[in-house]
Amino acid sequence: MFYSSYARTVAPDLAWQPSLFDAGAGASYEVDIGFHGMRRHALSAGAWVDHRPGWLRGADALFERLLELTPWSRRDIRMYERVLPEPRLTHRWSLQAPPAAAAEEAAGEPPPVLRTMARALGERYGVEFTQVGVNLYRDGDDSVAWHGDRVARELPSAVVALVSLGAVRPFRLRPAGGGTGVGFLPGAGDLLVMGGSCQRTWQHAVPKVRAAGPRISVQFRHVHPR
């Protein structure tokens, strides 16, 4: 799967109902910096996945904020000699620049809680997370095909962290060379961390489903040595 450099800005028009168990748009965010209840799933060839259900409290409030403030775009991808629009919306922020004032958040800054999550993850895994991306799956037709992260799959090991917001969607992994795969059903606020050789020896995907509400996946990536 090849991504082109061309992207179109898109304003999503979604009907979304927050969970009755979340405090809603006025909620404060709370990140479990102790990672209590984290469980590691060992895969083959030195790959692993950590899972912490409910790592972020206030997940629905963050979903609403990201949906409103993110300058969503849709990239083109090349598959089998064809160029097609990617079936999801995306955006990326660099975390290397100093944060702007809170009043400037709508002008391009990520919500401060994303930096808080990046710092907590960096201390946990001993890397500096310098980029955060958000992927919006608007319904069951939006998806991402089997892949390993383009840069990370060239490294002996790498850490990619995902925080799920909104509706539950299957998240699947399979060995790159074929074999038995594994799957997760991350709920709102759940944390998944892929590490070791996962990007190089395994692939992951969010497949299409018959029906699903909107979901945002927040992804953290770290500096890669050259």
Side-chain angles (χ1 to χ4, degrees), residues 154-176:
E154 301 172 357
L155 302 173
S157 64
V159 179
V160 177
L162 316 173
V163 177
S164 189
L165 310 172
V168 174
R169 288 288 297 271
F171 183 85
R172 296 178 180 169
L173 299 103
R174 70 181 185 186

Side-chain angles (χ1 to χ4, degrees), residues 78-168:
R78 182 179 296 277
M79 297 185 68
Y80 308 111
E81 306 304 321
R82 299 176 63 194
V83 176
L84 302 169
E86 184 181 12
R88 62 178 182 174
L89 305 183
T90 64
H91 185 67
R92 302 286 182 270
W93 286 287
S94 171
L95 299 179
Q96 292 180 298
E104 299 178 22
E105 181 180 322
E109 274 290 302
V113 67
L114 299 189
R115 293 184 181 273
T116 300
M117 289 192 281
R119 286 193 297 269
L121 290 163
E123 292 174 3
R124 171 81 177 188
Y125 292 99
V127 294
E128 181 186 2
F129 287 94
T130 58
Q131 183 190 81
V132 58
V134 285
N135 301 314
L136 173 60
Y137 300 86
R138 295 160 293 181
D139 53 33
D141 286 332
D142 278 1
S143 62
V144 62
W146 291 106
H147 70 288
D149 280 20
R150 182 177 58 83
V151 176
R153 66 174 177 246
E154 301 172 357
L155 302 173
S157 64
V159 179
V160 177
L162 316 173
V163 177
S164 189
L165 310 172
V168 174

Side-chain angles (χ1 to χ4, degrees), residues 161-212:
L162 316 173
V163 177
S164 189
L165 310 172
V168 174
R169 288 288 297 271
F171 183 85
R172 296 178 180 169
L173 299 103
R174 70 181 185 186
T180 302
V182 298
F184 295 88
L185 289 171
D190 283 12
L191 170 68
L192 287 173
V193 182
M194 296 176 284
S197 68
C198 197
Q199 302 303 319
R200 181 168 50 85
T201 62
W202 283 65
Q203 296 177 322
H204 56 277
V206 177
K208 291 185 179 183
V209 294
R210 179 170 297 180

Side-chain angles (χ1 to χ4, degrees), residues 47-97:
W48 50 262
V49 176
D50 284 350
H51 182 207
R52 166 49 165 103
W55 183 63
L56 170 69
R57 183 181 179 275
D60 281 1
L62 182 57
F63 181 102
E64 291 187 68
R65 192 154 188 78
L66 288 172
L67 186 64
E68 177 186 2
L69 295 179
T70 302
W72 298 105
S73 63
R74 193 174 191 183
R75 298 176 295 180
D76 288 336
I77 57 175
R78 182 179 296 277
M79 297 185 68
Y80 308 111
E81 306 304 321
R82 299 176 63 194
V83 176
L84 302 169
E86 184 181 12
R88 62 178 182 174
L89 305 183
T90 64
H91 185 67
R92 302 286 182 270
W93 286 287
S94 171
L95 299 179
Q96 292 180 298

